[in-house]
Amino acid sequence: LPTIQNWSCHNCSGCCRQHLIEITDEERQRILGQQWTTNDGVSDGPVVVSHRSSMWKKTWRLAHASDGSCVFLNEQGLCRIHAKFGEAAKPLACRIYPYAFHPSGKKVTVSLRFSCPSVVANLGKAVSENRDELKQIERLVVPENADAIPPPRINRREELDWPDTLK
């Protein structure tokens, strides 16, 4: 964990305005099954759109309104999915932001994304106080075989072992 970093969500909704959230097919099915309507404050258009991340692979992401914000962002800057169904119903990418998890040998390193204004301003409680929450998220994010994942290559010809990579 970052040892001197503070962070708590301050509901600025910047993440819901500046990021395109890719979702799994399972998340897509769950969101479509929630049957969102204009009575819920969601526009008439699609709530999930298809996206081609490559010529062959089709993926899904949350739709955005004409102002660039996520279709689930309400007027108070809060998530409609969270408000109606709870945090666990939100896509995983939304639940973990601004945390980033990096396998590093037999450990997992956690960092924060500085695209979040609260991270930049170092606002909130110490990240170390979120240890229990992070352990729960880790189980969802990090594959069971993470300790077998090799370190990233330095370049096409060179690679290091985990101890040297971590230095």
Side-chain angles (χ1 to χ4, degrees):
L1 293 174
T3 55
I4 58 170
Q5 181 68 48
N6 298 316
W7 178 78
S8 296
C9 180
H10 289 86
N11 297 324
C12 72
S13 70
C15 51
C16 303
R17 296 178 194 282
Q18 64 187 354
H19 296 290
L20 296 174
I21 303 299
E22 286 201 17
I23 58 175
T24 64
D25 193 50
E26 178 184 318
E27 290 171 326
R28 174 185 169 268
Q29 294 298 331
R30 184 177 67 236
I31 290 168
L32 294 176
Q34 294 167 347
Q35 300 182 350
W36 293 93
T37 67
T38 54
N39 291 339
D40 296 310
V42 176
S43 69
D44 246 353
V47 293
V48 173
V49 294
S50 65
H51 167 70
R52 291 217 183 268
S53 59
S54 72
M55 186 184 292
W56 298 278
K57 187 177 178 190
K58 180 178 181 180
T59 59
W60 304 100
R61 65 179 177 214
L62 297 180
H64 278 246
S66 58
D67 68 357
S69 64
C70 176
V71 294
F72 294 108
L73 186 64
N74 71 16
E75 296 76 24
Q76 293 78 37
L78 302 174
C79 177
R80 286 183 172 92
I81 297 174
H82 189 145
K84 190 170 182 178
F85 296 103
E87 182 181 15
K90 292 173 21 177
L92 184 59
C94 299
R95 292 171 56 195
I96 67 172
Y97 182 84
Y99 292 110
F101 294 80
H102 313 280
S104 53
K106 295 203 179 283
K107 298 188 291 182
V108 173
T109 302
V110 178
S111 65
L112 288 159
R113 291 180 169 89
F114 280 80
S115 57
C116 172
S118 293
V119 172
V120 172
N122 204 30
L123 296 175
K125 62 184 180 180
V127 171
S128 60
E129 293 179 32
N130 296 329
R131 186 177 301 275
D132 292 340
E133 175 188 355
L134 289 168
K135 284 288 186 188
Q136 290 175 351
I137 295 171
E138 176 192 12
R139 286 192 223 36
L140 298 171
V141 175
V142 179
E144 288 186 26
N145 67 338
D147 59 345
I149 295 173
R153 298 183 69 81
I154 303 300
N155 58 43
R156 288 184 182 180
R157 294 182 306 257
E158 297 176 273
E159 62 183 71
L160 300 172
D161 59 15
W162 273 115
D164 285 338
T165 301
L166 295 173
K167 286 179 188 175

